[in-house]
Amino acid sequence: MFRKFVFLFLWFLPAFAVNICQYQAPTTNLLRGEASFNYRYREDPLTPGPDINTGKLTLSGEWLVDSPARGMGLAFQGDLSLLGLQLASAYTQVSGTFREYPFPEFPYFVFGGIEGTIDTKYTRPLVETRAGVGYGRFTDVTPLVRALRIEEKLLRRGALLAALPEGTLLDVAKEIGRRQMYPSASDLAAALAKILAKETGVTLDPRSILLIEETLEEPGLERYCGWAVQFGLGYALSRPQPGSILAFNVSLQGAMTPDPRSQILFKTDLSAPYQVFEEYSLNLSASYAYRLNETATFSAQYTLRQVKPKGQIPAGTQSATFQLVFKLGGATVTLQVGFAKLAEMQAWTQDLVISAGWQFW
């Protein structure tokens, strides 16, 4: 069953003509956060005690800043599992990295940072400071995403008779990227209408200009692209289990925006002493979100956490979640399928949750 949902995930990956990641913003400052919660309770009077009484809260967030001279990234993710309205287990991971680019025209950087995890399976947290070198940058492509969204709405309304040339889209995106120079969104919308009139010969009516203004304020269009690979040395201030306090670490983080409706994020991190196959810590996460239309959103997340203490077999968890959310007027319908597996288990546990709600007033 898990393979079927992997195929479903790949089927949703769209093909798009414009390479959104070609847009280069001078500075990037993005903040995002997500949360999900489910709780199930069932009690059969013919059996002693509740038959099902479990819940799970998942949180994730990221703050990304990047400029020609320096960059910074803060990330957080956590899972809280409940049993009988009490905390059964918790896992949280926090990471922070500061990057300095000695030569702003090149994406080489030196970095310093800290990595921390708290797992209720252990009595002590992991706190590790890190420093090293790396290569890569991130850029905010939200202006180009909004330009493509404006094109889509104007085509749908009939204000544009054909898709905009790529050069025109980039001109519109660059002007959106200068938004802070305009007193209001309506002033920026009027400026964009002039650009479109100059390059296409089409004079937009007031309703179309208002549509541009609404798109400039539309939430949920924040996207970014780029990647960064880091190699450094870490020093453990605290460890959950006995082990080496010095370790090499390698991490790869990336973001892709295949089209205006989707965002792909991935991150992997490996920390180990020189005997990498005898002792290591591995974390991997990936997510994909796609807005199918104005009322439906699909998302998928995968995480892998594995720790191998010296002289022991690896231990860890894998989880994958697929979710469809429909908003139909005053109703919200959610379909969520989850899979989880411990390292020592052969089979995946499966959860299927369908929920619906209506707003009457």
Side-chain angles (χ1 to χ4, degrees), residues 244-319:
S244 303
I245 61 173
L246 289 175
F248 296 101
N249 58 78
V250 180
S251 68
L252 174 64
Q253 182 178 3
M256 294 182 290
T257 303
D259 70 273
R261 297 178 180 271
S262 63
Q263 177 79 82
I264 298 174
L265 304 174
F266 64 90
K267 182 179 181 181
T268 181
D269 181 277
L270 174 66
S271 179
Y274 66 95
Q275 297 174 320
V276 63
F277 295 107
E278 295 186 11
E279 180 184 352
Y280 63 83
S281 174
L282 173 65
N283 288 284
L284 186 150
S285 63
S287 66
Y288 174 72
Y290 182 71
R291 186 165 62 175
L292 299 170
N293 51 46
E294 303 298 327
T295 61
T297 301
F298 169 80
S299 64
Q301 299 85 30
Y302 172 79
T303 60
L304 168 66
R305 302 170 186 141
Q306 193 170 72
V307 177
K308 185 187 182 306
K310 191 173 183 179
Q312 301 181 32
I313 62 174
T317 60
Q318 293 186 71
S319 65

Side-chain angles (χ1 to χ4, degrees), residues 31-106:
L31 179 66
R32 69 175 188 88
E34 299 175 353
S36 63
F37 176 76
N38 67 73
Y39 187 81
R40 296 184 298 166
Y41 180 88
R42 179 177 182 271
E43 183 174 1
D44 188 337
L46 301 179
T47 60
D51 298 274
I52 301 176
N53 191 5
T54 61
K56 185 176 183 180
L57 172 65
T58 302
L59 301 169
S60 65
E62 184 177 24
W63 182 28
L64 180 67
V65 178
D66 203 281
S67 67
R70 59 187 54 87
M72 181 184 69
L74 296 175
F76 167 83
Q77 62 179 13
D79 295 325
L80 304 177
S81 298
L82 304 177
L83 180 61
L85 294 179
Q86 294 183 351
L87 183 65
S89 65
Y91 179 91
T92 59
Q93 180 181 12
V94 180
S95 62
T97 303
F98 180 82
R99 300 185 298 274
E100 188 77 23
Y101 296 90
F103 311 100
E105 63 273 17
F106 300 106

Side-chain angles (χ1 to χ4, degrees), residues 136-359:
R137 285 188 182 276
F138 292 93
T139 185
D140 182 6
V141 297
T142 304
L144 182 52
V145 170
R146 292 194 184 278
L148 289 164
R149 184 70 170 146
I150 289 171
E151 176 194 46
E152 177 188 350
K153 289 188 175 182
L154 292 179
L155 284 171
R156 187 186 306 167
R157 188 172 187 271
L160 291 178
L161 301 179
L164 296 173
E166 187 172 311
T168 302
L169 282 171
L170 291 175
D171 289 341
V172 172
K174 289 176 182 178
E175 200 64 27
I176 295 175
R178 300 170 63 244
R179 181 171 182 168
Q180 68 276 8
M181 301 183 64
Y182 290 89
S184 65
S186 59
D187 293 319
L188 176 55
L192 296 178
K194 292 180 180 179
I195 293 175
L196 293 174
K198 179 182 178 181
E199 299 197 19
T200 66
V202 175
T203 301
L204 299 179
D205 62 294
R207 180 68 188 91
S208 296
I209 297 177
L210 180 60
L211 195 65
I212 294 176
E213 182 180 346
E214 292 173 351
T215 307
L216 293 173
E217 301 289 348
E218 184 177 350
L221 294 181
E222 293 74 18
R223 304 283 189 271
Y224 66 100
C225 291
W227 61 276
V229 59
Q230 299 179 171
F231 177 80
L233 185 65
Y235 179 82
L237 303 175
S238 173
R239 292 184 58 88
Q241 293 180 315
S244 303
I245 61 173
L246 289 175
F248 296 101
N249 58 78
V250 180
S251 68
L252 174 64
Q253 182 178 3
M256 294 182 290
T257 303
D259 70 273
R261 297 178 180 271
S262 63
Q263 177 79 82
I264 298 174
L265 304 174
F266 64 90
K267 182 179 181 181
T268 181
D269 181 277
L270 174 66
S271 179
Y274 66 95
Q275 297 174 320
V276 63
F277 295 107
E278 295 186 11
E279 180 184 352
Y280 63 83
S281 174
L282 173 65
N283 288 284
L284 186 150
S285 63
S287 66
Y288 174 72
Y290 182 71
R291 186 165 62 175
L292 299 170
N293 51 46
E294 303 298 327
T295 61
T297 301
F298 169 80
S299 64
Q301 299 85 30
Y302 172 79
T303 60
L304 168 66
R305 302 170 186 141
Q306 193 170 72
V307 177
K308 185 187 182 306
K310 191 173 183 179
Q312 301 181 32
I313 62 174
T317 60
Q318 293 186 71
S319 65
T321 303
F322 302 86
Q323 183 170 277
L324 272 172
V325 178
F326 300 92
K327 293 183 179 181
L328 308 171
T332 300
V333 179
T334 301
L335 169 63
Q336 180 177 329
V337 180
F339 304 87
K341 187 175 83 70
L342 296 174
E344 62 272 17
M345 302 297 292
Q346 296 296 323
W348 294 76
T349 61
Q350 303 175 19
D351 285 311
L352 172 62
V353 179
I354 301 176
S355 61
W358 287 265
Q359 182 177 352

